[in-house]
Amino acid sequence: MLRVRNYLVDGQRLMARLLLIDDDPALLELLGLALSAEGNEVLLASNGLMGYKQAANADLIVSDVNMPGMDGFTLCRKLRAEGNRVPMILLTARDSEIDEALGLDLGADDYVHKPFRMRVLQSRIAALLRRDQPPPADVSVLVCGALLLDPHRLSATWKGILFSTTVSEFRLIGAMASQPGIVHNRQVLMEKMRGDDSVVVERIVDTYIRRIRRTIETIDPAFNAIETLIGAGYRWRDPPP
């Protein structure tokens, strides 16, 4: 799904249409006030179904995981299955890496544990919006063997067939494929992919890699361009001559 990026850049400050989804009315109001005070347009939804109906109008979604009816995981899975790649941050009180991996495996771009400091959430939102910015005009299409990445359209193809990615997945593929044959450890990949200093479990890279492989394997079951080097990291194989 193509979206019109209607947020503006004012120095380091990004103004966007943010969709906030949480069944806690007090928290929803607090987040809405804080984020709208930064100049953002804020949409509010008290449950997943209401959020789903507004998702097409959002530049970024912040959603609680634990909600009655349609929870955050279900919402994320549904949007990604429909081709909506809007950047998405999931909020949860569950303090476990299993939940984090599950959320990102469904297609979320980031994950914040409750309770959290408002500054942390604001930083994560700004980082995702920066990643979703159109690239400079002089950035060219990346071709590496059967892979083609078009940064201006945020589109990826394998053997001429378009496949869906989140912004984070697109950047991760680009980080590896721009240097085929070079081994990148998880920390380096996180830095290249996120472009910020937010603290995230490095093993989440494994989840992104697994999801990318699974997506491209639907086009090419023999896909093996991403190589795992146990104890070292990952690399994009040199394309065949």
Side-chain angles (χ1 to χ4, degrees), residues 13-14 28 49 51 92 117 145 158 170 175:
R13 194 171 168 192
L14 300 176
L28 195 63
L49 183 57
T92 182
R117 290 179 297 175
W158 179 260
F170 187 90

Side-chain angles (χ1 to χ4, degrees), residues 6-238:
N6 59 9
Y7 47 87
L8 305 175
V9 182
D10 179 13
Q12 293 297 312
R13 194 171 168 192
L14 300 176
M15 289 162 280
R17 181 179 293 138
L18 308 179
L19 172 58
L20 310 180
I21 311 170
D22 201 300
D23 62 342
D24 181 340
L27 178 60
L28 195 63
E29 181 180 8
L30 177 64
L31 293 179
L33 289 173
L35 294 172
S36 61
E38 294 186 317
N40 299 297
E41 178 182 351
V42 177
L43 309 174
L44 302 179
S46 59
N47 58 63
L49 183 57
M50 288 179 60
Y52 171 72
K53 293 178 179 179
Q54 299 185 70
N57 299 317
D59 294 315
L60 183 144
I61 296 174
V62 179
S63 176
D64 188 29
V65 166
N66 299 306
M67 296 181 290
M70 183 183 292
D71 61 27
F73 286 151
T74 302
L75 172 64
C76 184
R77 183 190 296 112
K78 187 173 179 62
L79 290 176
R80 297 308 187 230
E82 294 174 352
N84 189 329
R85 316 311 288 180
V86 60
M88 189 168 185
I89 299 174
L90 294 179
L91 307 177
T92 182
R94 303 175 187 172
D95 188 15
S96 77
E97 292 181 18
I98 294 176
D99 278 338
E100 184 160 359
L102 173 60
L104 291 173
D105 202 30
L106 293 173
D109 292 277
D110 210 341
Y111 208 92
V112 175
H113 290 291
K114 294 179 178 180
F116 54 85
R117 290 179 297 175
M118 192 62 212
R119 184 177 297 274
V120 170
L121 181 60
Q122 291 168 323
S123 174
R124 299 288 183 88
I125 290 172
L128 273 179
L129 292 177
R130 283 195 296 270
R131 271 180 263 166
D132 206 25
Q133 286 289 309
D138 59 352
V139 174
S140 60
V141 170
L142 171 64
V143 179
C144 184
L147 175 74
L148 187 150
L149 298 179
D150 186 340
H152 297 281
R153 293 181 172 83
L154 202 64
S155 65
T157 63
W158 179 260
K159 294 187 175 180
I161 301 175
L162 188 70
F163 63 91
S164 295
T165 70
T166 63
V167 176
S168 297
E169 290 167 355
F170 187 90
R171 289 175 64 97
L172 179 56
I173 295 170
M176 293 186 293
S178 62
Q179 296 181 296
I182 302 298
V183 179
H184 303 276
N185 63 36
R186 293 181 181 89
Q187 181 179 355
V188 168
L189 287 174
M190 285 299 298
E191 290 172 355
K192 290 184 176 182
M193 179 178 65
R194 301 177 69 85
D196 60 58
D197 58 358
S198 46
V199 179
V200 182
V201 179
E202 289 180 9
R203 287 279 179 181
I204 293 304
V205 171
D206 301 343
T207 299
Y208 282 115
I209 294 291
R210 183 170 64 250
R211 197 165 68 208
I212 291 167
R213 281 174 170 155
R214 192 163 56 216
T215 297
I216 302 179
E217 284 169 359
T218 63
I219 299 171
D220 178 7
F223 173 78
N224 66 349
I226 301 175
E227 183 179 5
T228 302
L229 291 94
I230 298 175
Y234 297 96
R235 70 179 167 200
W236 196 274
R237 296 180 189 270
D238 284 307

